[in-house]
Amino acid sequence: MIFQPRADDTPMPVVDLAIVEANLKRMQAYCDSHGLKLRPHIKTHKMPGLAKWQLDLGAVGITCQKLGEAEIMIDAGITDILISYPLIGPVKAARLAGLARRATLAVVADSPLAVDTAAEAARAAGATIRVLVEFESGGRRAGVASPADALALAHRMGAASGLTFGGLMTYPLGPEAAAFIAEAKALFAAEGIAMPEISAGGTPRAFHAHEVPGVTELRVGTYIYNDRNTVDQGAASLDDCALHIEATVVSRPTADRAIIDAGSKSLSSDLTPGGPARGYGLMPDYPEAVIVKLNEEHGIVDLSACARRPEIGETVRIIPNHVCVVVNLHDEILMTRPGAPDVTMPVDARGRSR
Amino acid sequence: MIFQPRADDTPMPVVDLAIVEANLKRMQAYCDSHGLKLRPHIKTHKMPGLAKWQLDLGAVGITCQKLGEAEIMIDAGITDILISYPLIGPVKAARLAGLARRATLAVVADSPLAVDTAAEAARAAGATIRVLVEFESGGRRAGVASPADALALAHRMGAASGLTFGGLMTYPLGPEAAAFIAEAKALFAAEGIAMPEISAGGTPRAFHAHEVPGVTELRVGTYIYNDRNTVDQGAASLDDCALHIEATVVSRPTADRAIIDAGSKSLSSDLTPGGPARGYGLMPDYPEAVIVKLNEEHGIVDLSACARRPEIGETVRIIPNHVCVVVNLHDEILMTRPGAPDVTMPVDARGRSR
């Protein structure tokens, strides 16, 4: 073995908190140096303790994707949350109202129905909810297509009691963002409507956010751990990857094949944009090995390009392609720090997809 | 809306127990008619209540993939379990010993180390553990390559106290199975070693198991719910799919695009062998729609081929590509049955990947 395993049993996600700390401080310093507010997205780590660390370092609040994640964070005492997801319908309104009674809530909208859902929640809670308009910047996901559409939604918020127009948001920070922002700022200024925030998301382009005029807030999640995708996209190095999976080689049926006890239920089936040829994760101690296929609990590893090969019973490390979905597969994570005892921590908001 | 949603909130997996019952009875009847023992794999449903239903209908025991799953099932009172996975090393031996004190356990091995791990567990527990030799039949996963290798492992079991040779197992039931089985049976007979079971796995080829001479036991999991893959492979029809995800259309940013609130954290990133063109699940009420991309909590649906299109706020159904990994993403499932009240049930063995 060429590294010292930390987990007693496998498969197990293991985090190096010294790397986490460096990642958190680097992003906060970047935001501070460019006058950007940092509002970390907890979708990656899903742990209140890490969210509080982010706040202690200077974050203005946190971002959640789903109400269920926000519930966990509010239960832990966090008080300023943006839910960067369109909430639609009376059930979501009732749940949002429950949270708006307990914390400062903001949501996003790209449709009249999303605005109306937030208004219903604000009314029920007797609270004020900020609403940002999500806009299309090239990601081809949700978001209004034109500044005029954004303006119409802002007017709808103005007509509803309990809502305040919170500005604009987009994900990712696509190539069309700068033109949209410039046009929207001019349009809203001409209408005499203040533009409180322009919020941009996504770790891969995070360190370029200051290059887009008008952006005031950064929502990033993956940067806390990083992964193979963020390395591929130039936003981190392999040494900045704070989480790996420890797995055991459970079979060596042929000279060229190893089976590890981490499959799609531990690593997810997310590939990198490089496709199947790059495999389902990187084994840093066997860089020529390719995890060519995953079954649910089996990882099939092609060793044909490896000079040195792992033996049956050996513990190996895997840096995941996409760490956010990997964290969501595990109930707990082993937290390590050089010189300190290892601690197993629950992933409190795991699986909170509603 | 063209179906009646059952879930109060989305995304939510919903199961029709009438379809489950038909699926369970069909497989049991198939096994009974061909003299095959049925040992259902609980990796798909992960619920003790459903495992007990399978046993009540005639299953000889259950199959688990990981020790953690077996622990949940034994806690619920199930007493006969095959762990169809190579267990390697002292930690797994200690955990297996703990289970072998409480239930009748069998495991599989394709290496001396796996046999030795089982032997250590049997010794520690003061119990007898059956060990089946996993063999390669074309799946190119784990498994010994030759009957001679299987014989060597059987001899190793014979030399260890507390182990009994349980026969052979393979997954899936590949094209090389028949020749391997015939050769192995002859070899073992010549040595005077009885061949208690030959266990084959996998829903897609399940109804062909009787065509392979020598197979005595069938391990199947997916058949309880079925999914798009089992339909594609001819082992079920769409009407046999017992589980769907209910999701809400949360955005309709363009005429051709819908965003649903089920992404890779609800549907997994598993494609069908048909690849990305077939999408990340089937929307039976909008069969021309293609779920072309998943982000973690967003499903991006291409509606360009649809004459009729879902509206924002509408609840839609999705039949997953691969139901086993989908179940593993959800803490609970809404169980429905015509004429009976709906019940939310926990997925007790979810995430038990160790």
Side-chain angles (χ1 to χ4, degrees):
Chain A
M1 298 187 200
I2 62 175
F3 84 104
Q4 186 60 39
R6 302 296 283 258
D8 294 331
D9 200 359
T10 61
M12 183 75 182
V14 179
V15 160
D16 184 327
L17 289 173
I19 301 177
V20 166
E21 183 169 7
N23 291 342
L24 295 186
K25 288 182 171 173
R26 185 186 312 118
M27 190 63 77
Q28 188 64 57
Y30 165 75
C31 287
D32 290 347
S33 72
H34 292 285
L36 292 167
K37 295 171 184 170
L38 178 59
R39 184 179 284 278
H41 205 312
I42 63 81
K43 74 186 176 93
T44 306
H45 60 71
K46 296 180 183 291
M47 290 185 181
L50 295 180
K52 289 179 180 176
W53 197 3
Q54 292 170 315
L55 292 166
D56 287 345
L57 289 171
V60 298
I62 64 168
T63 307
C64 297
Q65 203 72 335
K66 294 289 181 95
L67 283 160
E69 295 172 340
E71 283 161 356
I72 297 288
M73 296 296 149
I74 292 173
D75 287 348
I78 289 173
T79 58
D80 187 327
I81 297 179
L82 167 66
I83 299 177
S84 58
Y85 198 85
L87 301 174
I88 300 291
V91 173
K92 300 297 188 191
R95 294 180 63 200
L96 178 59
L99 298 185
R101 291 186 190 102
R102 302 170 59 201
T104 301
L105 262 291
V107 299
V108 304
D110 71 344
S111 69
L113 199 48
V115 173
D116 296 351
T117 300
E120 186 182 333
R123 209 162 32 237
T128 298
I129 296 175
R130 268 195 316 138
V131 184
L132 288 76
V133 176
E134 182 167 4
F135 70 96
E136 168 69 68
S137 66
R140 303 293 176 260
R141 196 166 79 174
V144 299
S146 74
D149 290 343
L151 182 64
L153 293 178
H155 280 311
R156 194 177 187 93
M157 293 170 210
S161 64
L163 298 186
T164 59
F165 172 62
L168 304 177
M169 72 78 77
T170 196
Y171 173 89
L173 190 54
E176 300 156 23
F180 190 104
I181 292 169
E183 194 183 331
K185 285 183 78 165
L187 181 64
F188 277 71
E191 295 265 330
I193 301 177
M195 182 70 75
E197 301 289 350
I198 295 177
S199 178
T203 292
R205 297 284 303 163
F207 295 110
H208 298 275
H210 68 287
E211 298 168 7
V212 182
V215 170
T216 63
E217 179 179 275
L218 190 57
R219 309 180 322 278
V220 280
T222 313
Y223 81 104
I224 188 169
Y225 292 149
N226 293 310
D227 56 21
R228 218 170 164 210
N229 276 325
T230 46
V231 172
D232 285 356
Q233 290 160 321
S237 73
L238 276 179
D239 289 341
D240 301 325
C241 291
L243 183 147
H244 67 266
I245 301 289
E246 292 188 1
T248 300
V249 177
V250 295
S251 177
R252 281 295 313 279
T254 72
D256 285 346
R257 193 191 320 146
I259 308 297
I260 57 175
D261 63 356
S264 60
K265 284 177 177 171
S266 297
L267 296 173
S268 90
S269 295
D270 277 19
L271 290 164
T272 71
R278 300 191 70 235
Y280 291 91
L282 175 71
M283 295 170 61
D285 305 306
Y286 297 96
E288 305 90 358
V290 182
I291 305 173
V292 290
K293 187 180 172 186
L294 298 182
N295 289 146
E296 288 157 57
E297 306 287 6
H298 293 74
I300 293 112
V301 187
D302 179 0
L303 305 174
S304 56
C306 300
R308 208 175 45 80
R309 296 170 182 212
E311 294 176 7
I312 189 166
E314 182 173 329
T315 303
V316 295
R317 290 188 293 179
I318 303 137
I319 297 175
N321 290 342
H322 184 190
V323 72
C324 310
V325 290
V326 166
V327 168
N328 190 52
L329 290 167
H330 296 272
D331 288 347
E332 51 190 27
I333 291 182
L334 186 65
M335 295 289 178
T336 72
R337 189 188 264 281
D342 296 350
V343 180
T344 300
M345 283 181 61
V347 185
D348 301 88
R350 188 210 54 71
R352 291 280 174 149
S353 58
R354 284 190 293 278
Chain B
M1 296 186 201
I2 61 174
F3 85 102
Q4 187 59 40
R6 301 298 283 257
D8 294 331
D9 200 1
T10 62
M12 184 76 183
V14 178
V15 160
D16 184 327
L17 289 172
I19 302 177
V20 166
E21 183 169 7
N23 291 342
L24 296 185
K25 288 181 172 174
R26 185 185 312 119
M27 190 63 77
Q28 188 65 56
Y30 165 76
C31 287
D32 290 347
S33 71
H34 292 285
L36 292 167
K37 295 173 184 169
L38 178 59
R39 184 179 284 278
H41 205 311
I42 63 82
K43 74 187 176 94
T44 305
H45 60 71
K46 298 182 181 288
M47 290 184 181
L50 295 180
K52 288 178 179 175
W53 197 3
Q54 292 169 316
L55 292 166
D56 287 345
L57 289 172
V60 298
I62 63 168
T63 307
C64 297
Q65 203 72 333
K66 293 291 181 94
L67 283 161
E69 295 172 339
E71 284 161 354
I72 297 287
M73 297 295 150
I74 292 173
D75 286 347
I78 290 173
T79 57
D80 187 328
I81 297 178
L82 167 66
I83 299 176
S84 58
Y85 198 86
L87 301 174
I88 300 291
V91 173
K92 300 296 188 192
R95 293 180 62 200
L96 177 59
L99 298 184
R101 291 186 189 102
R102 303 171 58 202
T104 302
L105 262 291
V107 299
V108 303
D110 72 346
S111 69
L113 198 49
V115 173
D116 295 351
T117 300
E120 187 183 333
R123 209 162 33 239
T128 299
I129 296 175
R130 268 194 316 136
V131 184
L132 287 77
V133 176
E134 181 167 3
F135 69 97
E136 169 69 66
S137 67
R140 304 290 177 264
R141 195 165 81 174
V144 299
S146 73
D149 290 343
L151 183 64
L153 293 178
H155 281 311
R156 194 176 187 96
M157 294 170 210
S161 64
L163 299 187
T164 60
F165 171 63
L168 305 177
M169 73 79 77
T170 196
Y171 174 89
L173 189 55
E176 300 156 23
F180 190 104
I181 292 170
E183 193 183 332
K185 285 183 78 164
L187 180 64
F188 278 71
E191 294 264 331
I193 300 177
M195 181 70 74
E197 302 290 350
I198 296 177
S199 179
T203 292
R205 296 285 303 162
F207 295 109
H208 298 273
H210 68 285
E211 298 167 8
V212 181
V215 170
T216 64
E217 179 180 275
L218 190 56
R219 308 181 322 278
V220 279
T222 313
Y223 81 104
I224 188 169
Y225 292 149
N226 293 310
D227 55 21
R228 216 170 167 209
N229 276 326
T230 47
V231 172
D232 285 355
Q233 290 160 320
S237 74
L238 275 179
D239 289 341
D240 301 325
C241 291
L243 183 146
H244 67 265
I245 301 288
E246 293 188 359
T248 299
V249 177
V250 295
S251 177
R252 282 294 313 278
T254 72
D256 285 347
R257 194 192 316 148
I259 309 298
I260 57 175
D261 64 354
S264 60
K265 285 177 176 171
S266 297
L267 295 173
S268 91
S269 296
D270 276 20
L271 290 164
T272 71
R278 300 192 69 237
Y280 291 91
L282 175 71
M283 294 169 62
D285 305 306
Y286 297 96
E288 306 90 357
V290 182
I291 305 173
V292 290
K293 187 180 172 187
L294 298 181
N295 288 146
E296 288 157 57
E297 306 286 7
H298 293 74
I300 292 109
V301 188
D302 179 359
L303 305 174
S304 56
C306 300
R308 207 175 48 78
R309 297 170 181 211
E311 294 175 7
I312 188 167
E314 183 174 327
T315 302
V316 295
R317 290 188 294 179
I318 303 137
I319 296 176
N321 289 341
H322 183 191
V323 72
C324 311
V325 289
V326 166
V327 168
N328 190 53
L329 290 167
H330 296 272
D331 288 347
E332 52 191 25
I333 290 181
L334 185 66
M335 295 289 180
T336 73
R337 188 188 266 279
D342 296 350
V343 181
T344 301
M345 283 181 59
V347 185
D348 301 270
R350 188 210 54 71
R352 290 281 173 147
S353 57
R354 283 191 290 279

